[in-house]
PDB file of all heavy atoms in Angstrom:
ATOM      1  N   ALA A  87     181.491   6.987 126.473  1.00 98.00           N
ATOM      2  CA  ALA A  87     181.318   8.425 126.740  1.00 98.00           C
ATOM      3  C   ALA A  87     182.680   9.103 126.577  1.00 98.00           C
ATOM      4  O   ALA A  87     183.155   9.795 127.474  1.00 98.00           O
ATOM      5  CB  ALA A  87     180.751   8.636 128.143  1.00 98.00           C
ATOM      6  N   ALA A  88     183.286   8.855 125.429  1.00 96.00           N
ATOM      7  CA  ALA A  88     184.606   9.445 125.148  1.00 96.00           C
ATOM      8  C   ALA A  88     184.420  10.823 124.512  1.00 96.00           C
ATOM      9  O   ALA A  88     183.290  11.295 124.341  1.00 96.00           O
ATOM     10  CB  ALA A  88     185.388   8.517 124.223  1.00 96.00           C
ATOM     11  N   THR A  89     185.537  11.431 124.151  1.00 91.00           N
ATOM     12  CA  THR A  89     185.525  12.761 123.515  1.00 91.00           C
ATOM     13  C   THR A  89     184.581  12.787 122.316  1.00 91.00           C
ATOM     14  O   THR A  89     184.448  11.790 121.596  1.00 91.00           O
ATOM     15  CB  THR A  89     186.959  13.061 123.001  1.00 91.00           C
ATOM     16  OG1 THR A  89     187.843  12.754 124.057  1.00 91.00           O
ATOM     17  CG2 THR A  89     187.140  14.488 122.579  1.00 91.00           C
ATOM     18  N   GLU A  90     183.961  13.956 122.087  1.00 90.00           N
ATOM     19  CA  GLU A  90     183.008  14.102 120.977  1.00 90.00           C
ATOM     20  C   GLU A  90     183.756  14.250 119.648  1.00 90.00           C
ATOM     21  O   GLU A  90     183.804  15.330 119.049  1.00 90.00           O
ATOM     22  CB  GLU A  90     182.102  15.307 121.287  1.00 90.00           C
ATOM     23  CG  GLU A  90     180.873  15.427 120.430  1.00 90.00           C
ATOM     24  CD  GLU A  90     179.881  14.294 120.583  1.00 90.00           C
ATOM     25  OE1 GLU A  90     180.136  13.311 121.305  1.00 90.00           O
ATOM     26  OE2 GLU A  90     178.836  14.366 119.929  1.00 90.00           O
ATOM     27  N   ASN A  91     184.381  13.152 119.248  1.00 92.00           N
ATOM     28  CA  ASN A  91     185.199  13.146 118.034  1.00 92.00           C
ATOM     29  C   ASN A  91     184.998  11.779 117.368  1.00 92.00           C
ATOM     30  O   ASN A  91     185.253  10.742 117.978  1.00 92.00           O
ATOM     31  CB  ASN A  91     186.670  13.371 118.440  1.00 92.00           C
ATOM     32  CG  ASN A  91     187.628  13.278 117.280  1.00 92.00           C
ATOM     33  OD1 ASN A  91     187.609  12.336 116.494  1.00 92.00           O
ATOM     34  ND2 ASN A  91     188.479  14.271 117.174  1.00 92.00           N
ATOM     35  N   GLU A  92     184.502  11.826 116.130  1.00 94.00           N
ATOM     36  CA  GLU A  92     184.103  10.584 115.464  1.00 94.00           C
ATOM     37  C   GLU A  92     185.267   9.603 115.304  1.00 94.00           C
ATOM     38  O   GLU A  92     185.106   8.393 115.545  1.00 94.00           O
ATOM     39  CB  GLU A  92     183.503  10.919 114.094  1.00 94.00           C
ATOM     40  CG  GLU A  92     182.743   9.782 113.505  1.00 94.00           C
ATOM     41  CD  GLU A  92     181.799  10.223 112.397  1.00 94.00           C
ATOM     42  OE1 GLU A  92     181.433  11.407 112.314  1.00 94.00           O
ATOM     43  OE2 GLU A  92     181.419   9.343 111.615  1.00 94.00           O
ATOM     44  N   ALA A  93     186.447  10.114 114.940  1.00 96.00           N
ATOM     45  CA  ALA A  93     187.601   9.226 114.723  1.00 96.00           C
ATOM     46  C   ALA A  93     188.010   8.547 116.032  1.00 96.00           C
ATOM     47  O   ALA A  93     188.348   7.348 116.043  1.00 96.00           O
ATOM     48  CB  ALA A  93     188.769  10.027 114.155  1.00 96.00           C
ATOM     49  N   VAL A  94     187.949   9.293 117.133  1.00 96.00           N
ATOM     50  CA  VAL A  94     188.304   8.723 118.441  1.00 96.00           C
ATOM     51  C   VAL A  94     187.315   7.610 118.800  1.00 96.00           C
ATOM     52  O   VAL A  94     187.703   6.511 119.221  1.00 96.00           O
ATOM     53  CB  VAL A  94     188.284   9.831 119.540  1.00 96.00           C
ATOM     54  CG1 VAL A  94     188.390   9.231 120.939  1.00 96.00           C
ATOM     55  CG2 VAL A  94     189.408  10.832 119.300  1.00 96.00           C
ATOM     56  N   LYS A  95     186.034   7.860 118.586  1.00 97.00           N
ATOM     57  CA  LYS A  95     185.018   6.865 118.935  1.00 97.00           C
ATOM     58  C   LYS A  95     185.191   5.605 118.069  1.00 97.00           C
ATOM     59  O   LYS A  95     185.118   4.485 118.566  1.00 97.00           O
ATOM     60  CB  LYS A  95     183.611   7.465 118.758  1.00 97.00           C
ATOM     61  CG  LYS A  95     183.302   8.531 119.827  1.00 97.00           C
ATOM     62  CD  LYS A  95     181.912   9.111 119.636  1.00 97.00           C
ATOM     63  CE  LYS A  95     181.611  10.292 120.536  1.00 97.00           C
ATOM     64  NZ  LYS A  95     181.562  10.034 121.957  1.00 97.00           N
ATOM     65  N   GLN A  96     185.448   5.819 116.781  1.00 97.00           N
ATOM     66  CA  GLN A  96     185.613   4.660 115.890  1.00 97.00           C
ATOM     67  C   GLN A  96     186.824   3.819 116.297  1.00 97.00           C
ATOM     68  O   GLN A  96     186.762   2.589 116.281  1.00 97.00           O
ATOM     69  CB  GLN A  96     185.732   5.128 114.445  1.00 97.00           C
ATOM     70  CG  GLN A  96     184.369   5.579 113.909  1.00 97.00           C
ATOM     71  CD  GLN A  96     184.448   6.172 112.516  1.00 97.00           C
ATOM     72  OE1 GLN A  96     185.531   6.467 112.022  1.00 97.00           O
ATOM     73  NE2 GLN A  96     183.296   6.358 111.901  1.00 97.00           N
ATOM     74  N   ALA A  97     187.906   4.500 116.698  1.00 97.00           N
ATOM     75  CA  ALA A  97     189.111   3.761 117.123  1.00 97.00           C
ATOM     76  C   ALA A  97     188.804   2.949 118.384  1.00 97.00           C
ATOM     77  O   ALA A  97     189.264   1.798 118.523  1.00 97.00           O
ATOM     78  CB  ALA A  97     190.254   4.742 117.370  1.00 97.00           C
ATOM     79  N   ILE A  98     188.017   3.517 119.273  1.00 97.00           N
ATOM     80  CA  ILE A  98     187.650   2.793 120.502  1.00 97.00           C
ATOM     81  C   ILE A  98     186.836   1.537 120.155  1.00 97.00           C
ATOM     82  O   ILE A  98     187.094   0.446 120.659  1.00 97.00           O
ATOM     83  CB  ILE A  98     186.845   3.716 121.453  1.00 97.00           C
ATOM     84  CG1 ILE A  98     187.762   4.791 122.037  1.00 97.00           C
ATOM     85  CG2 ILE A  98     186.152   2.925 122.561  1.00 97.00           C
ATOM     86  CD1 ILE A  98     187.056   5.875 122.817  1.00 97.00           C
ATOM     87  N   TYR A  99     185.861   1.676 119.245  1.00 98.00           N
ATOM     88  CA  TYR A  99     185.019   0.511 118.895  1.00 98.00           C
ATOM     89  C   TYR A  99     185.867  -0.605 118.271  1.00 98.00           C
ATOM     90  O   TYR A  99     185.662  -1.779 118.549  1.00 98.00           O
ATOM     91  CB  TYR A  99     183.892   0.898 117.928  1.00 98.00           C
ATOM     92  CG  TYR A  99     182.994   2.009 118.424  1.00 98.00           C
ATOM     93  CD1 TYR A  99     182.319   2.845 117.542  1.00 98.00           C
ATOM     94  CD2 TYR A  99     182.828   2.236 119.790  1.00 98.00           C
ATOM     95  CE1 TYR A  99     181.505   3.866 117.999  1.00 98.00           C
ATOM     96  CE2 TYR A  99     182.022   3.260 120.257  1.00 98.00           C
ATOM     97  CZ  TYR A  99     181.369   4.081 119.350  1.00 98.00           C
ATOM     98  OH  TYR A  99     180.573   5.093 119.809  1.00 98.00           O
ATOM     99  N   LYS A 100     186.808  -0.165 117.428  1.00 97.00           N
ATOM    100  CA  LYS A 100     187.668  -1.153 116.760  1.00 97.00           C
ATOM    101  C   LYS A 100     188.454  -1.944 117.812  1.00 97.00           C
ATOM    102  O   LYS A 100     188.600  -3.170 117.719  1.00 97.00           O
ATOM    103  CB  LYS A 100     188.631  -0.409 115.825  1.00 97.00           C
ATOM    104  CG  LYS A 100     189.248  -1.290 114.791  1.00 97.00           C
ATOM    105  CD  LYS A 100     189.947  -0.469 113.722  1.00 97.00           C
ATOM    106  CE  LYS A 100     190.736  -1.422 112.839  1.00 97.00           C
ATOM    107  NZ  LYS A 100     191.958  -0.862 112.344  1.00 97.00           N
ATOM    108  N   ALA A 101     188.921  -1.239 118.830  1.00 96.00           N
ATOM    109  CA  ALA A 101     189.737  -1.896 119.858  1.00 96.00           C
ATOM    110  C   ALA A 101     188.905  -2.771 120.792  1.00 96.00           C
ATOM    111  O   ALA A 101     189.360  -3.842 121.203  1.00 96.00           O
ATOM    112  CB  ALA A 101     190.486  -0.829 120.671  1.00 96.00           C
ATOM    113  N   ILE A 102     187.698  -2.328 121.126  1.00 97.00           N
ATOM    114  CA  ILE A 102     186.976  -3.082 122.167  1.00 97.00           C
ATOM    115  C   ILE A 102     185.998  -4.137 121.640  1.00 97.00           C
ATOM    116  O   ILE A 102     185.698  -5.098 122.349  1.00 97.00           O
ATOM    117  CB  ILE A 102     186.249  -2.166 123.184  1.00 97.00           C
ATOM    118  CG1 ILE A 102     185.199  -1.326 122.469  1.00 97.00           C
ATOM    119  CG2 ILE A 102     187.214  -1.310 123.986  1.00 97.00           C
ATOM    120  CD1 ILE A 102     183.946  -1.206 123.286  1.00 97.00           C
ATOM    121  N   CYS A 103     185.514  -3.991 120.418  1.00 98.00           N
ATOM    122  CA  CYS A 103     184.530  -4.973 119.922  1.00 98.00           C
ATOM    123  C   CYS A 103     185.021  -6.421 120.055  1.00 98.00           C
ATOM    124  O   CYS A 103     184.257  -7.290 120.494  1.00 98.00           O
ATOM    125  CB  CYS A 103     184.108  -4.661 118.484  1.00 98.00           C
ATOM    126  SG  CYS A 103     182.880  -3.342 118.433  1.00 98.00           S
ATOM    127  N   PRO A 104     186.290  -6.709 119.732  1.00 97.00           N
ATOM    128  CA  PRO A 104     186.736  -8.102 119.846  1.00 97.00           C
ATOM    129  C   PRO A 104     186.698  -8.653 121.277  1.00 97.00           C
ATOM    130  O   PRO A 104     186.645  -9.870 121.458  1.00 97.00           O
ATOM    131  CB  PRO A 104     188.189  -8.052 119.336  1.00 97.00           C
ATOM    132  CG  PRO A 104     188.284  -6.811 118.515  1.00 97.00           C
ATOM    133  CD  PRO A 104     187.329  -5.843 119.132  1.00 97.00           C
ATOM    134  N   VAL A 105     186.729  -7.785 122.293  1.00 98.00           N
ATOM    135  CA  VAL A 105     186.729  -8.310 123.669  1.00 98.00           C
ATOM    136  C   VAL A 105     185.328  -8.362 124.268  1.00 98.00           C
ATOM    137  O   VAL A 105     185.119  -8.984 125.309  1.00 98.00           O
ATOM    138  CB  VAL A 105     187.666  -7.509 124.632  1.00 98.00           C
ATOM    139  CG1 VAL A 105     189.038  -7.348 124.051  1.00 98.00           C
ATOM    140  CG2 VAL A 105     187.109  -6.153 125.012  1.00 98.00           C
ATOM    141  N   LEU A 106     184.348  -7.729 123.627  1.00 98.00           N
ATOM    142  CA  LEU A 106     182.999  -7.710 124.211  1.00 98.00           C
ATOM    143  C   LEU A 106     182.331  -9.082 124.122  1.00 98.00           C
ATOM    144  O   LEU A 106     182.566  -9.833 123.173  1.00 98.00           O
ATOM    145  CB  LEU A 106     182.114  -6.692 123.485  1.00 98.00           C
ATOM    146  CG  LEU A 106     182.515  -5.213 123.571  1.00 98.00           C
ATOM    147  CD1 LEU A 106     181.461  -4.341 122.901  1.00 98.00           C
ATOM    148  CD2 LEU A 106     182.715  -4.787 125.025  1.00 98.00           C
TER     149      LEU A 106
END
Side-chain angles (χ1 to χ4, degrees):
T89 312
E90 193 64 356
N91 175 310
E92 195 162 340
V94 169
K95 290 180 188 295
Q96 286 175 347
I98 290 171
Y99 304 153
K100 198 168 171 214
I102 62 140
C103 280
V105 309
L106 296 185

